[in-house]
């Protein structure tokens, strides 16, 4: 028996038509910001090389896609912020994700959630991670030192998730899930996150 070793084929360098096709396939498959599209195209050019005349027209291609509406940073920011908020992440963490995607500060500011949505996100995170009123009580109870250490660990988890310190403490201080829900309701009307 003979085993055939597969040799890795070197991809052909990109030309303007292939670069355009690659960009179109990328935005068709993923929701992206202009900065993410530019980063992707530059990475592909570094991997495969450029066979076209002159410099690769990455900036022009991205601008054309923005002009055509294939890439919309405002829509991307709303979608990403809403998705992260529903998963229980706080405004600081949402801002970091949008910054990493190349969203401008003005756009990041425009998708800041209301007080009620920030509270709902903190509650969703606590529920998902079983923190505060959603924590499973240890059998036999815990002494004060263990309770304090558990609370500090839960508080740290909420802070790492991007929640404000006062919201994190309020969620953890809720006596039961109903009290936590009432705390969210006190924050006002929930907005519809896209």
């Amino acid at each position: 028996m003979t085993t055939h070793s597969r040799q890795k084929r070197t991809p052909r360098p990109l030309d303007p038509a292939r670069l355009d096709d690659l960009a179109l396939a990328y935005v068709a498959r993923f929701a992206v910001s202009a900065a993410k599209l530019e980063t992707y195209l530059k990475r592909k050019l570094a991997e495969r090389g450029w066979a076209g005349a002159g410099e690769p027209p990455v900036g022009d291609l991205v601008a054309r896609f923005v002009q055509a509406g294939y890439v919309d940073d405002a829509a991307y920011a709303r979608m990403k912020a809403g998705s992260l908020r529903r998963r229980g992440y706080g405004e600081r963490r949402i801002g970091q994700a949008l910054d990493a995607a190349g969203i401008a500060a003005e756009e990041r500011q425009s998708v800041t959630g209301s007080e009620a949505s920030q509270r709902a996100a903190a509650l969703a995170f606590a529920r998902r991670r079983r923190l505060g009123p959603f924590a499973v009580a240890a059998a036999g109870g815990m002494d004060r030192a263990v309770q304090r250490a558990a609370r500090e660990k839960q508080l740290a988890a909420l802070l790492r998730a991007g929640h404000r310190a006062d919201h994190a403490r309020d969620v953890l201080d809720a006596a039961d899930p109903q009290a936590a829900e009432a705390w969210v309701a006190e924050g006002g009307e929930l907005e519809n996150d896209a």
Side-chain angles (χ1 to χ4, degrees), residues 89-109:
Y89 290 102
E91 296 304 311
R92 191 182 76 251
R93 186 79 175 269
I94 292 168
Q96 289 170 345
L98 294 177
D99 186 42
I103 302 299
E106 303 83 46
E107 285 297 331
R108 290 194 310 265
Q109 189 65 31

Side-chain angles (χ1 to χ4, degrees), residues 27 34 37 59-73:
V27 299
L37 176 60
D60 294 339
L61 182 61
V62 171
R64 196 177 75 215
F65 275 43
V66 169
Q67 183 69 27
Y70 298 154
V71 176
D72 183 355
D73 283 357

Side-chain angles (χ1 to χ4, degrees), residues 4 26 52 56 90 154 164 174 186:
H4 298 284
Y26 187 65
Q154 291 178 3
R164 295 180 358 203
E186 289 171 10

Side-chain angles (χ1 to χ4, degrees), residues 154-172:
Q154 291 178 3
L155 183 62
L158 280 159
L159 294 176
R160 280 191 307 274
H163 295 288
R164 295 180 358 203
D166 61 328
H167 284 177
R169 283 190 291 273
D170 289 343
V171 167
L172 295 178

